[in-house]
Amino acid sequence: MVSVVYKAPDSIQAAISILSEAEIATKILAGGTDLLIQMQGLVNESRLFVDIKKIPEMMQATLGDQGLDLGPSMCCAEFTAREDIRAVYPGLVEAAFLIGSTQVQGRASVGGNLCNSSPAADTIPALMVNAAICVIAGVKGERSVSVEEFVTGVGTNCMEKGELLKLIQLPRPAKNTSDAYLRFIPRTEMDIAVAGAAVSVTLDDEGVCTAARVSIGAVAPTALLVQEAADALIGTKLDDKALQAAGDAASAAASPITDRRGTVEYRRHVVGVLTKRAAQIAATRARGN
Amino acid sequence: MSKTHVTTTINGDVTEFLCEPADTLLSVLRNELQLTGTKEGCGSGDCGACSVTVNGRLVCSCLVLGVEAQGAEIGTIEGIESAEKLHTIQEKFLEHAALQCGICTPGLIVSTKALLDENPDPTEEEARYYLAGNLCRCTGYDKIIRAVLDSAKVMRGAA
Amino acid sequence: MSEAREFKYIGQRTIRPDGYDKVTGRANYGADLSLPGMIWGKILRSPHAHANIKNIDLSKAQAHPDVLAIATYQDFPHVQSEAFQAGEVPTDIIDLARNVLADDKVLYHGHAIAAIAARSESAAQDALSLIEVEYEVLPPVMDVADAMKPEAAVLHNNMFTQGLAEPADKASNIASRMELKKGDVAAGFALADLVVERDFYTPTVHQGYIEPHATTVRFEENGQAMVWCSTQGHFDVRASTAKLLNMPLGKLKVVASEIGGGFGGKTTVYLEPVALILSRKSGKPVKMVMTRDEVFRASGPGSATRSHVKIGAMKDGTITAMQASLCFEAGAFKGSPMGPGCMTVFTPYDVENMYIEGYDVVVNKPKVAAYRAPGAPQAEFAAEMVINEIASKLGIDPIELRLRNAAKEGTQTVYGPKLKRVGLVECLEAAKNSPQYQSALKANQGRGLAAGFWFNIGGLSSVTINMNPDGSGTILEGSPDIGGSRASMQMMAAEELGIPIDQLKPLVADTEHVAYNATTGGSRTTFATGMAVIEAAQDVVRQLKERAAAVWNITAEQVDWADGVAINTTGDDRLTVAEICKDAEKTGGQIAGTGNINARGAGPSFAVHLCDVEVDPDTGKVDVIRYTAIQDAGKAIHPSYVEGQYQGGAAQGIGWALNEEYIYNKDGIMENAGFLDYRIPLASDLPMIETVIIEIPNSFHPFGVRGVGETGIVPPLAAVATAVSEAIGVVMTDLPCSPPRVLAAIHGKS
Ligand SMILES: Cc1cc2nc3c(=O)[nH]c(=O)nc-3n(C[C@H](O)[C@H](O)[C@H](O)COP(=O)(O)OP(=O)(O)OC[C@H]3O[C@@H](n4cnc5c(N)ncnc54)[C@H](O)[C@@H]3O)c2cc1C
Ligand code: FES
Ligand code: FES
């Protein structure tokens, strides 16, 4: 078991100083739905837990003309109940809604999902297609990186000791833009993605796709932005052929592994199917906007 | 190792306890406070037997630290009935035979109450998805879902 | 059974007597008891699937101040090989000992090696890392087919195959072989116009009860001991534990807590003997609770199987011969349910020529335990799949094909007795008439139907009914109640006594307050313990009549009994139960009735299930969209709990068919030992499960009861797999029909 020192600072500044001055291994505690499970196997270890949920700005989300400023630790139950946010970023809200059960949603956060940096994290592809920016705070000040730069590998990211993710910023989507996220699991709920795909498309007034982003999850060490898949959509009216091409490009870009959740062949195939279907949904949404 | 002193409210009663900071709320409820109505089926958020509410929000108490209860309002199965009178949900679970072994029942009743507080008129599908984190191995869920929908009906006063 | 009887309580949907405690959180389950001064035990488990233990060094752990006791195999007083039956599956006491704590060899990942008791659960857990074990790692044998190969690594070098024509001369992983036959299959196949044969596979699955194994024990200085635990059979826990620890039965009291599911998995011991050793050594009460990970890795799952089934039929659908070879994994020690598998595989069919062989094979997986109708789901899955394929190839409706060959009264079973009156034909007719069977299917949908058979068992039950001075009574029974059986006991006693159910309180008594009761398993409780309840109630009625006779100065024969009232047939006098009990002291003392039986004549139960699925052709994902479970209950004492058994069995079977399986890596380590990746059905995965209760009374039971708990898990495997096969146009022979496997089948087709 791990012996824990628990601190719950009420400001980002205070959190940063605790983090940077810590003498034992430190863990930031948001909803704890990854962290507490990861701690279970440990024997004779100590950790400093810094609970960031008492910091007001970590727990808020503001939607404005510029886009969304998301406090990383707002729980998914609260986040997904925000109809205003769902109207603008339906795919991201869908992704957050897929995390765990109602109970897990009551604790899990988008920031925790991102910082845990699992290849199968549901919100990461959805954040990527929305060109989200991670604002990281540390003793040396703040820095901003894209989600693609933020996640660096299986369970790793670019944050250093003493840093925390302070804000997730999403730009306001252009007119006639929408997103969608789909994942595949063997049951209807309570599973980790075997594969996932997020798609964002922008249409012109004729219905031609002028911009697109496609990101796939659980089929590589990190979620991947697949430019070839986006290119297959751009310039088309998102007809079946274009969707199929995007799906094929996603399958081609995948480099999955075989594990208890799926095989290489299966994941490669299914990520294509999901990409195609997500693009279809995003297109329908964009047309309706 | 020094224990932490926590003051919290459980089912409306101000309660104090001592715990290790690593202890889960589930372990505090069961082992420190003898509130053993909250069950442990997995310890990893997968079964929902440990469902409680923290500040009105449904969570798995196995994934919450005891120290996080400081200043919070906790709701457990022991607080569902009032003055020895069963809550409608409890009555409906009995009436519909929505339990066999009953180990999942406290969690399901706490979750059902959270569902109906949020959504007094759920469809069958909404109820099934809301309760997807509450595993029941005995019943096949049929009678549970019937009990939930019937509770909703009675609680809406529509029965 | 006497001519149809009008029931007052039987057949009602009453509120179960233990319900209040269960919906309020008051009911105490295995992990809910704490005792003053109690400490915690934890188990060190093997990190290897197969290894010799070269050395165990306890010195560092012993020196640790938090460690109060340590247990290893050496703490069992001299155990010797001896066949031993406690619970559902026969075993050898030495195998049981070596499963509870490994001797010189670990045989599966998670195999218990030693246990530590310490002041807190976490201290015990941490101290385990101080035990140093030296292993010689051996190659793991993970599949029954591999284990049977001559070149396979051998798990037990003293195990020689039993049941061969020639005695085995070399140790092998095949513990035993058995054979059942009737008629002449070769002649039968020669008559057939169509012969279908296939290989089938079913994976290792877990019962998946939500409550982990848990126990709290106290060993007293005077040699008395108490065990509180979650079990399906506390008398058999007492028998096994006493045997392992060489204790007289009278020194060991076992209290059955409320039990959070078992399905056969809580019919043996894992923690109890270990906890008692720790308690004896430390002088303190000890509590042990398994984690979910331990439950998956180290309790007893259900057998994986490989089977081959061959069936021949004539054009008109008459089946001429049935042949099966069934290989069951036993896990680390011999004793799979291969026997019942062989006995049940073809029992729904009245066919002259049958030949069945079975193999019980050890592999480096946890020792299997019973799982609901042990052996039958795996065996009958294979048979039913071939039957459905024959129906489809002959162009005969699968219900018609079964009706043509259905087992019925007088059918000679392959394992011995002729069947008495059974309800298979009625189940098939009900399936034919069901709204589901008459509904239409859409694209990518498929329908599957399968039959299932389970014997049900009887055995020993003892019950005491103590009457109170106000005319109420307490029913002391000894069958742990997993699914509401106390409600049925209450109703049966009320029916006999003629008093309202709320006047009777059924209790599951501990091993000291009621005589021996066999383990709750084999669907025996409502049947056998129910009969003991009825007998005890009749004993009470007999005494009540005697007391009334004494009051009226007549003979007991002159007293009639109806609706809870004694009637003086020589006059107008009436005395109620309450009146007789109130004055019992004046007529000879308090009134208590007993029923002690060894129930024979358990009524076999047949079921027919119907499953509709929809398959996503792009991902291979299967959704069960409609389901009907039809089964003969004999007599449904409490229809809601009978339906609940059908629905629960169907849900478990659906899980088995679609997603549940132990996934092992190449080193023999289970990779999905948690509910996130061992995927049991969720509320959102299932539709409502329609039920039809058929009531063909079992002539051996006063009310006509057959067991209902197990048969319902038999048909779903083939019903679901057939529905998937129909939807995609490929026969699914391997379970589970998980999305990758279904998609591969779809892709393999084109
Ligand atoms: C039953 C169950 C089901 C689940 N299902 C899913 C699923 O379907 N999809 C999915 O993607 N995930 C799933 N998860 C995983 C988990 O719930 C999510 O990853 C969740 O979003 C994590 O959020 P959290 O707030 O609980 O993170 P925590 O556990 O608190 O933190 C996760 C990690 O991020 C770090 N961290 C958190 N916030 C910050 C911050 N602001 N700055 C720096 N570091 C930080 C923590 O130190 C920790 O290392 C499931 C978990 C469970 C228990
Ligand atoms: S015990 Fe908390 S979810 Fe299972
Ligand atoms: S009633 Fe047993 S798990 Fe639900």
Side-chain angles (χ1 to χ4, degrees), chain C residues 257-291:
Chain C
S257 69
E258 291 294 341
I259 169 171
F263 314 106
K266 290 180 184 160
T267 54
T268 184
V269 292
Y270 300 103
L271 301 175
E272 296 80 0
V274 181
L276 271 181
I277 294 171
L278 293 172
S279 178
R280 191 186 62 209
K281 287 186 154 186
S282 64
K284 294 183 183 305
V286 173
K287 179 164 179 164
M288 297 183 82
V289 182
M290 281 197 198
T291 62

Short mmCIF file of all heavy atoms in Angstrom, two decimals, chain C residues 257-291:
data_model
loop_
_atom_site.label_atom_id
_atom_site.label_comp_id
_atom_site.label_asym_id
_atom_site.label_seq_id
_atom_site.Cartn_x
_atom_site.Cartn_y
_atom_site.Cartn_z
N SER C 257 -23.04 -16.33 6.47
CA SER C 257 -23.50 -14.94 6.37
C SER C 257 -24.53 -14.87 5.25
O SER C 257 -24.75 -15.86 4.54
CB SER C 257 -22.31 -14.04 6.02
OG SER C 257 -21.89 -14.31 4.70
N GLU C 258 -25.13 -13.72 5.05
CA GLU C 258 -25.87 -13.54 3.80
C GLU C 258 -24.86 -13.73 2.69
O GLU C 258 -23.67 -13.40 2.83
CB GLU C 258 -26.47 -12.13 3.72
CG GLU C 258 -27.60 -11.89 4.71
CD GLU C 258 -28.83 -12.73 4.43
OE1 GLU C 258 -29.00 -13.23 3.31
OE2 GLU C 258 -29.63 -12.89 5.38
N ILE C 259 -25.30 -14.24 1.55
CA ILE C 259 -24.34 -14.55 0.49
C ILE C 259 -24.65 -13.74 -0.75
O ILE C 259 -25.79 -13.73 -1.23
CB ILE C 259 -24.30 -16.08 0.24
CG1 ILE C 259 -23.51 -16.40 -1.04
CG2 ILE C 259 -25.68 -16.70 0.17
CD1 ILE C 259 -23.25 -17.89 -1.22
N GLY C 260 -23.63 -13.07 -1.26
CA GLY C 260 -23.79 -12.19 -2.42
C GLY C 260 -23.50 -12.90 -3.72
O GLY C 260 -22.66 -12.49 -4.50
N GLY C 261 -24.25 -13.98 -3.93
CA GLY C 261 -24.09 -14.74 -5.17
C GLY C 261 -23.07 -15.85 -5.02
O GLY C 261 -22.12 -15.74 -4.24
N GLY C 262 -23.29 -16.94 -5.74
CA GLY C 262 -22.38 -18.08 -5.66
C GLY C 262 -22.38 -18.83 -6.98
O GLY C 262 -21.33 -19.02 -7.58
N PHE C 263 -23.54 -19.25 -7.42
CA PHE C 263 -23.70 -19.95 -8.71
C PHE C 263 -22.82 -21.19 -8.79
O PHE C 263 -22.39 -21.60 -9.86
CB PHE C 263 -23.40 -19.02 -9.88
CG PHE C 263 -24.05 -17.67 -9.77
CD1 PHE C 263 -23.31 -16.54 -9.46
CD2 PHE C 263 -25.42 -17.54 -9.94
CE1 PHE C 263 -23.92 -15.30 -9.33
CE2 PHE C 263 -26.03 -16.30 -9.81
CZ PHE C 263 -25.28 -15.18 -9.50
N GLY C 264 -22.49 -21.77 -7.64
CA GLY C 264 -21.61 -22.94 -7.61
C GLY C 264 -20.21 -22.59 -7.14
O GLY C 264 -19.48 -23.44 -6.64
N GLY C 265 -19.83 -21.34 -7.28
CA GLY C 265 -18.46 -20.93 -6.95
C GLY C 265 -18.18 -20.86 -5.47
O GLY C 265 -17.03 -20.80 -5.06
N LYS C 266 -19.22 -20.86 -4.65
CA LYS C 266 -18.98 -20.81 -3.21
C LYS C 266 -19.38 -22.13 -2.55
O LYS C 266 -20.08 -22.18 -1.55
CB LYS C 266 -19.72 -19.61 -2.58
CG LYS C 266 -19.08 -18.28 -3.00
CD LYS C 266 -19.76 -17.08 -2.41
CE LYS C 266 -19.14 -15.78 -2.93
NZ LYS C 266 -20.04 -14.63 -2.76
N THR C 267 -18.94 -23.23 -3.19
CA THR C 267 -19.24 -24.55 -2.66
C THR C 267 -17.99 -25.22 -2.13
O THR C 267 -18.00 -26.41 -1.83
CB THR C 267 -19.87 -25.44 -3.74
OG1 THR C 267 -19.00 -25.43 -4.88
CG2 THR C 267 -21.23 -24.92 -4.17
N THR C 268 -16.88 -24.51 -2.07
CA THR C 268 -15.67 -25.11 -1.54
C THR C 268 -14.98 -24.08 -0.66
O THR C 268 -15.53 -23.01 -0.43
CB THR C 268 -14.77 -25.61 -2.69
OG1 THR C 268 -13.63 -26.26 -2.13
CG2 THR C 268 -14.29 -24.47 -3.56
N VAL C 269 -13.81 -24.42 -0.10
CA VAL C 269 -13.14 -23.47 0.79
C VAL C 269 -11.86 -22.95 0.16
O VAL C 269 -11.18 -23.66 -0.57
CB VAL C 269 -12.80 -24.10 2.16
CG1 VAL C 269 -14.08 -24.40 2.93
CG2 VAL C 269 -11.94 -25.34 2.01
N TYR C 270 -11.59 -21.70 0.41
CA TYR C 270 -10.32 -21.07 0.02
C TYR C 270 -9.69 -20.41 1.24
O TYR C 270 -8.57 -20.67 1.61
CB TYR C 270 -10.54 -20.03 -1.08
CG TYR C 270 -11.15 -20.61 -2.32
CD1 TYR C 270 -12.50 -20.44 -2.61
CD2 TYR C 270 -10.38 -21.37 -3.20
CE1 TYR C 270 -13.07 -21.00 -3.74
CE2 TYR C 270 -10.94 -21.94 -4.34
CZ TYR C 270 -12.29 -21.74 -4.61
OH TYR C 270 -12.85 -22.30 -5.72
N LEU C 271 -10.46 -19.50 1.86
CA LEU C 271 -9.89 -18.68 2.92
C LEU C 271 -10.07 -19.28 4.31
O LEU C 271 -9.23 -19.06 5.19
CB LEU C 271 -10.58 -17.31 2.92
CG LEU C 271 -10.48 -16.49 1.64
CD1 LEU C 271 -11.32 -15.22 1.76
CD2 LEU C 271 -9.02 -16.12 1.35
N GLU C 272 -11.16 -19.99 4.52
CA GLU C 272 -11.56 -20.36 5.88
C GLU C 272 -10.50 -21.14 6.64
O GLU C 272 -10.16 -20.77 7.78
CB GLU C 272 -12.90 -21.11 5.85
CG GLU C 272 -14.09 -20.28 5.34
CD GLU C 272 -14.18 -20.17 3.82
OE1 GLU C 272 -13.32 -20.76 3.11
OE2 GLU C 272 -15.11 -19.51 3.32
N PRO C 273 -9.92 -22.21 6.06
CA PRO C 273 -8.90 -22.94 6.82
C PRO C 273 -7.67 -22.08 7.10
O PRO C 273 -7.07 -22.18 8.17
CB PRO C 273 -8.52 -24.12 5.90
CG PRO C 273 -9.55 -24.15 4.82
CD PRO C 273 -10.17 -22.81 4.74
N VAL C 274 -7.33 -21.23 6.14
CA VAL C 274 -6.15 -20.38 6.30
C VAL C 274 -6.37 -19.38 7.43
O VAL C 274 -5.52 -19.18 8.29
CB VAL C 274 -5.86 -19.62 4.97
CG1 VAL C 274 -4.61 -18.77 5.11
CG2 VAL C 274 -5.72 -20.60 3.82
N ALA C 275 -7.54 -18.79 7.42
CA ALA C 275 -7.85 -17.81 8.46
C ALA C 275 -7.82 -18.47 9.84
O ALA C 275 -7.34 -17.88 10.81
CB ALA C 275 -9.22 -17.19 8.19
N LEU C 276 -8.30 -19.71 9.91
CA LEU C 276 -8.29 -20.39 11.22
C LEU C 276 -6.86 -20.68 11.69
O LEU C 276 -6.56 -20.54 12.87
CB LEU C 276 -9.07 -21.71 11.13
CG LEU C 276 -10.56 -21.61 11.41
CD1 LEU C 276 -11.20 -22.99 11.32
CD2 LEU C 276 -10.84 -21.00 12.78
N ILE C 277 -6.00 -21.05 10.76
CA ILE C 277 -4.60 -21.26 11.15
C ILE C 277 -4.02 -19.96 11.69
O ILE C 277 -3.37 -19.93 12.74
CB ILE C 277 -3.76 -21.76 9.93
CG1 ILE C 277 -4.22 -23.15 9.50
CG2 ILE C 277 -2.27 -21.77 10.28
CD1 ILE C 277 -3.60 -23.62 8.17
N LEU C 278 -4.30 -18.87 10.98
CA LEU C 278 -3.76 -17.57 11.40
C LEU C 278 -4.33 -17.17 12.76
O LEU C 278 -3.63 -16.62 13.60
CB LEU C 278 -4.08 -16.49 10.36
CG LEU C 278 -3.38 -16.64 9.01
CD1 LEU C 278 -3.94 -15.62 8.01
CD2 LEU C 278 -1.87 -16.47 9.15
N SER C 279 -5.60 -17.47 12.98
CA SER C 279 -6.23 -17.10 14.24
C SER C 279 -5.66 -17.95 15.37
O SER C 279 -5.38 -17.45 16.46
CB SER C 279 -7.74 -17.29 14.12
OG SER C 279 -8.36 -16.99 15.34
N ARG C 280 -5.47 -19.22 15.09
CA ARG C 280 -4.91 -20.10 16.13
C ARG C 280 -3.52 -19.62 16.52
O ARG C 280 -3.18 -19.52 17.69
CB ARG C 280 -4.85 -21.53 15.60
CG ARG C 280 -4.53 -22.56 16.68
CD ARG C 280 -4.34 -23.94 16.09
NE ARG C 280 -3.20 -23.93 15.18
CZ ARG C 280 -3.07 -24.72 14.12
NH1 ARG C 280 -4.00 -25.59 13.82
NH2 ARG C 280 -2.00 -24.65 13.34
N LYS C 281 -2.74 -19.27 15.51
CA LYS C 281 -1.36 -18.88 15.79
C LYS C 281 -1.25 -17.52 16.47
O LYS C 281 -0.36 -17.28 17.27
CB LYS C 281 -0.55 -18.86 14.49
CG LYS C 281 -0.24 -20.23 13.95
CD LYS C 281 0.67 -20.08 12.75
CE LYS C 281 1.50 -21.33 12.53
NZ LYS C 281 2.47 -21.12 11.45
N SER C 282 -2.15 -16.61 16.10
CA SER C 282 -2.04 -15.25 16.63
C SER C 282 -2.86 -15.05 17.89
O SER C 282 -2.67 -14.09 18.62
CB SER C 282 -2.51 -14.23 15.58
OG SER C 282 -3.89 -14.43 15.33
N GLY C 283 -3.82 -15.96 18.11
CA GLY C 283 -4.71 -15.79 19.25
C GLY C 283 -5.72 -14.67 19.07
O GLY C 283 -6.31 -14.19 20.03
N LYS C 284 -5.93 -14.25 17.84
CA LYS C 284 -6.86 -13.15 17.59
C LYS C 284 -7.86 -13.52 16.49
O LYS C 284 -7.56 -14.36 15.65
CB LYS C 284 -6.09 -11.91 17.13
CG LYS C 284 -5.18 -11.35 18.20
CD LYS C 284 -4.52 -10.09 17.69
CE LYS C 284 -3.53 -9.53 18.71
NZ LYS C 284 -4.11 -9.28 20.02
N PRO C 285 -9.01 -12.88 16.51
CA PRO C 285 -9.93 -13.08 15.38
C PRO C 285 -9.27 -12.57 14.10
O PRO C 285 -8.54 -11.56 14.14
CB PRO C 285 -11.14 -12.21 15.73
CG PRO C 285 -11.01 -11.89 17.18
CD PRO C 285 -9.56 -11.95 17.51
N VAL C 286 -9.52 -13.25 13.00
CA VAL C 286 -8.88 -12.87 11.74
C VAL C 286 -9.94 -12.72 10.66
O VAL C 286 -10.86 -13.54 10.55
CB VAL C 286 -7.86 -13.95 11.29
CG1 VAL C 286 -7.34 -13.66 9.89
CG2 VAL C 286 -6.71 -14.04 12.28
N LYS C 287 -9.80 -11.65 9.90
CA LYS C 287 -10.71 -11.43 8.77
C LYS C 287 -9.92 -11.51 7.47
O LYS C 287 -8.81 -10.99 7.39
CB LYS C 287 -11.32 -10.03 8.91
CG LYS C 287 -12.27 -9.62 7.80
CD LYS C 287 -13.06 -8.44 8.29
CE LYS C 287 -14.03 -7.87 7.31
NZ LYS C 287 -15.00 -6.99 7.99
N MET C 288 -10.50 -12.16 6.50
CA MET C 288 -9.86 -12.22 5.18
C MET C 288 -10.92 -11.96 4.12
O MET C 288 -12.00 -12.54 4.16
CB MET C 288 -9.24 -13.60 4.94
CG MET C 288 -8.12 -13.94 5.91
SD MET C 288 -7.35 -15.53 5.55
CE MET C 288 -6.21 -15.07 4.25
N VAL C 289 -10.58 -11.09 3.19
CA VAL C 289 -11.49 -10.76 2.10
C VAL C 289 -10.69 -10.77 0.81
O VAL C 289 -9.63 -10.15 0.73
CB VAL C 289 -12.10 -9.34 2.29
CG1 VAL C 289 -13.09 -9.04 1.17
CG2 VAL C 289 -12.78 -9.22 3.65
N MET C 290 -11.15 -11.49 -0.17
CA MET C 290 -10.44 -11.50 -1.45
C MET C 290 -10.69 -10.20 -2.20
O MET C 290 -11.77 -9.63 -2.10
CB MET C 290 -10.93 -12.64 -2.34
CG MET C 290 -10.36 -14.00 -2.01
SD MET C 290 -10.64 -15.12 -3.43
CE MET C 290 -10.41 -16.69 -2.62
N THR C 291 -9.70 -9.77 -2.96
CA THR C 291 -9.93 -8.70 -3.92
C THR C 291 -10.60 -9.31 -5.15
O THR C 291 -10.60 -10.53 -5.32
CB THR C 291 -8.62 -8.05 -4.37
OG1 THR C 291 -7.84 -9.05 -5.02
CG2 THR C 291 -7.84 -7.48 -3.18
#
